[in-house]
Amino acid sequence: MKKICVVGSLNMDLVVTVDRFPEPGETITGREFATYPGGKGGNQAVALGRLGADVLMVGKLGNDLFGEQYLSNLKENGVILDGVKVEEGVSSGIAVIEVDSTGENHIVIIPGANGKVDRAFIEENWHLMEERDIFLFQLEIPIDTVLYAVKKLKRAGKIIILDPAPARILPDDIFLNIDYITPNETEMETLTGIRIKDVDDLKEGGHWLIKKGVKNVIAKAGKKGAYLVTSDDFVHVPGFSVKAVDTTAAGDSFNAGFAFALAQGRGIIESIQFANAVGAISTTAKGAQSAMPSLRQVETFIGQQTR
C-alpha cells in the first residue's frame, strides 16, 4: 500500500449554540459550548488514520492547550506526528463558530500557527515527505507554500490531490502540478468563473481545469456523488442514500477515502465509489472527525448497498 502525506491546517473549532445572533454591542446568553478538532488538513489526516492508512501529517500547532489536545487526538487516530511542529509564541489555529436555532452560522477563523507553514517548513520536513507517495493539500495554509510544495513534489514524481477549499482563485501554474482536483460546485465556480447551474456547466468547468493542466477533475456533488472529468471522458459516479445528520467535513472524508483507495491500488472509478461511501457515512453522525468511519464500517456499508 502506498504511503500518504497530508500537508495542511490544524484548527480547534470553538462552537457556541445560541437562539439568535447578538446585535452589535449586545450580550446574550448561549445554550451550549463545545470544542472539536478541525481544520481541513487535520480532518483528512484523521479520516485516513481511521481507515488504517499509513499517513503522515505535516502542519503546525501553537504552544497552547489546544495544541496539546490536537496532538493527542492525531495520535489516538493513528496519524504519524513527525511532521507536526509546535510553534512557540503563536496560538493554534482557531475557528470561532456561532450556530443559531435555524442552523445558520457565523464563523471567524484565526490562522495562528497554520499561517507559519512556509517554504522553510516544507524544506525542514522534506526528508519525511520524499518517502511518501500520495499527497493531499487544501487551501487553509499560505497559498505560496502550497504552490512551492506541489511543484517540488511533482518534480519528485509524487501524486498530488488538491481540495481547493476554502474557495479562492488560484494561480495558473498550480494546475500543471495537480493529478486530481476535487472541487464542489461553489469551488468550481470560483476557480473557473463559470456559473454552475446543471451538469453541462459542471462538465464545462471540468474541461476548463483540464485545459489549465489538471490531469483529472473529480467534481463533488454531495448526495448525487461525484463526476469524473478527464481530457476524453465524463463519468457520473452515483452517491449513496443515507439519512444525513451533520455534513461537516463530508468533503474532507471524501478526499481521504479517495486517497486511501488509490493507495490500495484501486482504479479511479472504484476509488471515487469508495470516497462516496466514506463521505456518506461521515454525515450520519454528529461532529466532523468523530463521525469518520473505519475501513470495516465502509466495507460493510458498501456490501449492504450493493446487495
Side-chain angles (χ1 to χ4, degrees):
M1 185 170 179
K2 289 184 169 64
K3 296 181 178 181
I4 302 173
C5 177
V6 179
V7 182
S9 57
L10 299 161
N11 285 338
M12 190 64 79
D13 296 343
L14 312 184
V15 184
V16 177
T17 57
V18 294
D19 291 321
R20 62 174 179 84
F21 298 125
E23 298 295 331
E26 181 185 18
T27 299
I28 64 173
T29 300
R31 287 190 282 119
E32 294 178 335
F33 171 75
T35 61
Y36 302 102
K40 300 191 73 62
N43 288 344
Q44 292 179 12
V46 167
L48 281 159
R50 288 192 166 211
L51 289 169
D54 181 339
V55 56
L56 169 75
M57 181 72 211
V58 173
K60 289 188 176 184
L61 290 162
N63 185 20
D64 52 24
L65 181 60
F66 296 132
E68 292 177 12
Q69 291 175 345
Y70 213 125
L71 283 171
S72 296
N73 180 66
L74 291 171
K75 186 176 181 179
E76 288 169 6
N77 284 288
V79 178
I80 299 169
L81 303 178
D82 295 356
V84 179
K85 179 181 179 181
V86 174
E87 187 82 359
E88 298 292 334
V90 64
S91 74
S92 296
I94 299 295
V96 181
I97 306 169
E98 292 180 356
V99 183
D100 73 5
S101 58
T102 70
E104 289 293 320
N105 60 46
H106 289 170
I107 303 175
V108 177
I109 293 178
I110 298 92
N114 294 315
K116 303 293 184 179
V117 179
D118 54 15
R119 294 187 180 199
F121 189 61
I122 297 299
E123 290 297 330
E124 182 182 328
N125 288 281
W126 183 251
H127 66 290
L128 299 172
M129 295 170 66
E130 65 181 348
E131 296 177 354
R132 303 272 132 183
D133 307 296
I134 299 173
F135 290 79
L136 290 88
F137 288 86
Q138 325 78 36
L139 302 177
E140 291 182 332
I141 58 174
I143 188 61
D144 175 74
T145 307
V146 175
L147 182 57
Y148 177 78
V150 298
K151 285 182 175 180
K152 187 176 177 73
L153 288 163
K154 203 66 213 158
R155 288 195 298 269
K158 307 300 184 180
I159 297 170
I160 309 297
I161 302 170
L162 175 64
D163 184 359
R168 59 168 293 170
I169 296 171
L170 294 174
D172 281 353
D173 51 344
I174 198 170
F175 298 120
L176 297 169
N177 301 280
I178 305 303
D179 294 287
Y180 304 95
I181 193 168
T182 62
N184 61 23
E185 291 181 5
T186 300
E187 293 149 8
M188 180 76 85
E189 286 189 356
T190 301
L191 288 170
T192 66
I194 297 168
R195 179 74 183 275
I196 307 299
K197 303 181 295 296
D198 53 33
V199 173
D200 288 337
D201 295 331
L202 206 60
K203 184 176 182 180
E204 182 184 355
H207 283 141
W208 187 95
L209 289 166
I210 295 294
K211 289 176 183 176
K212 288 290 184 180
V214 175
K215 291 183 178 63
N216 302 275
V217 179
I218 301 169
K220 293 182 285 196
K223 62 184 179 182
K224 296 178 184 176
Y227 295 85
L228 170 65
V229 187
T230 66
S231 57
D232 54 8
D233 214 350
F234 181 72
V235 181
H236 177 218
V237 184
F240 295 93
S241 180
V242 296
K243 185 177 180 180
V245 173
D246 184 351
T247 60
T248 304
D252 296 327
S253 299
F254 177 98
N255 274 54
F258 179 71
F260 180 82
L262 280 184
Q264 287 186 312
R266 305 190 193 202
I268 187 168
I269 298 298
E270 188 181 356
S271 295
I272 295 172
Q273 290 170 336
F274 186 88
N276 280 339
V278 176
I281 296 168
S282 75
T283 70
T284 61
K286 286 187 177 182
Q289 297 181 8
S290 60
M292 291 168 173
S294 67
L295 179 58
R296 178 175 291 184
Q297 286 176 292
V298 179
E299 290 176 338
T300 300
F301 175 81
I302 292 174
Q304 291 171 342
Q305 295 290 320
T306 55
R307 283 176 187 169

